[in-house]
Amino acid sequence: MAKPGIDGGASIKLDRKIVEKNRRIHMKSLCSKLFNLVPSSHYKISKDLLSQQTQISYVIAYIKELKERVESLEKRKEALQLQIHSQLPTSSDSTFPIVEVRELCSGIVHVTLISSVDRNVMLNEIIGVVEEEGGEVVSASFSTLGDKVFHSLHIEAKISRVGIETSRVEKRLKHLIIEAREDGRDK
């Protein structure tokens, strides 16, 4: 008669080996997925020739490089925001609003509008003017920095051969801000 503990012990050892084998397979798969996120321009040889330890070293180096890049870009952003804030006139200055409409290439226009918080125009009103002038907004954003509101729009002409008359768009946007002031939207 066999002892129950011996058969049970062999079964437990076998279960541990299977669990450990599955864990290693899973870890290898995760390491491979992680290494696949690193652009091939960051390593010279084929990834098949690299050991798993070397692959992880490349991943670590790539993550450090990305972290440094993010920190550098954040510092640059802060410096630019301070520079913009110090160079722009205050909201009481008569140079507000600033409207700039530039044609980047045939049928593609960039609109920049800077106004004061107390003389702000809604983004949907700006988009309305652009669409009435034959433009289609590809991207639009606005942000506030101090007492200034920045609107930025990229526009494509609905009919590329007709294009967009930038001087007319600029004139209408300036008129829109004047109307906003007269309608009492300013504070």
Side-chain angles (χ1 to χ4, degrees):
M1 191 172 207
K3 293 183 180 178
I6 295 176
D7 287 335
S11 174
I12 290 173
K13 282 185 181 181
L14 186 59
D15 288 344
R16 285 183 186 165
K17 285 182 181 180
I18 292 171
V19 167
E20 180 62 20
K21 181 180 177 183
N22 289 339
R23 185 192 69 77
R24 285 188 200 136
I25 291 170
H26 183 67
M27 289 300 293
K28 186 175 182 178
S29 169
L30 291 175
C31 287
S32 177
K33 286 180 183 178
L34 182 63
F35 185 69
N36 286 335
L37 297 175
V38 177
S40 59
S41 61
H42 281 71
Y43 52 92
K44 302 292 183 218
I45 21 178
S46 170
K47 70 176 185 175
D48 298 330
L49 299 176
L50 296 173
S51 69
Q52 193 173 29
Q53 184 176 3
T54 306
Q55 288 180 1
I56 291 174
S57 297
Y58 278 114
V59 169
I60 291 170
Y62 181 63
I63 290 172
K64 285 181 181 177
E65 181 183 320
L66 289 176
K67 184 179 177 185
E68 290 170 2
R69 186 172 174 208
V70 166
E71 290 170 356
S72 169
L73 289 172
E74 284 176 348
K75 287 178 184 176
R76 184 175 172 209
K77 177 184 173 186
E78 288 173 10
L80 287 172
Q81 285 178 334
L82 287 173
Q83 182 181 5
I84 289 171
H85 189 66
S86 66
Q87 288 180 350
L88 288 174
T90 62
S91 59
S92 61
D93 197 325
S94 63
T95 60
F96 269 108
I98 298 172
V99 178
E100 182 181 282
V101 181
R102 289 182 296 142
E103 188 164 359
L104 302 176
C105 60
S106 181
I108 299 178
V109 175
H110 182 260
V111 175
T112 304
L113 187 137
I114 305 171
S115 61
S116 64
V117 173
D118 60 343
R119 303 224 190 283
N120 187 26
V121 177
M122 302 302 286
L123 185 59
N124 65 329
E125 295 172 315
I126 299 169
I127 292 172
V129 167
V130 167
E131 288 178 345
E132 288 172 8
E133 292 299 323
E136 184 175 1
V137 177
V138 176
S139 68
S141 65
F142 78 94
S143 59
T144 304
L145 179 63
D147 61 346
K148 294 156 192 66
V149 180
F150 299 84
H151 293 90
S152 178
L153 296 93
H154 283 279
I155 302 158
E156 286 183 359
K158 288 182 182 175
I159 304 170
S160 60
R161 64 186 167 159
V162 174
I164 301 171
E165 191 177 325
T166 56
S167 60
R168 183 167 161 80
V169 172
E170 187 171 341
K171 183 178 177 181
R172 286 198 57 198
L173 288 174
K174 286 180 179 177
H175 184 68
L176 181 68
I177 293 174
I178 292 168
E179 284 179 354
R181 195 176 303 152
E182 290 171 357
D183 289 346
R185 280 187 260 174
D186 56 343
K187 295 179 181 178

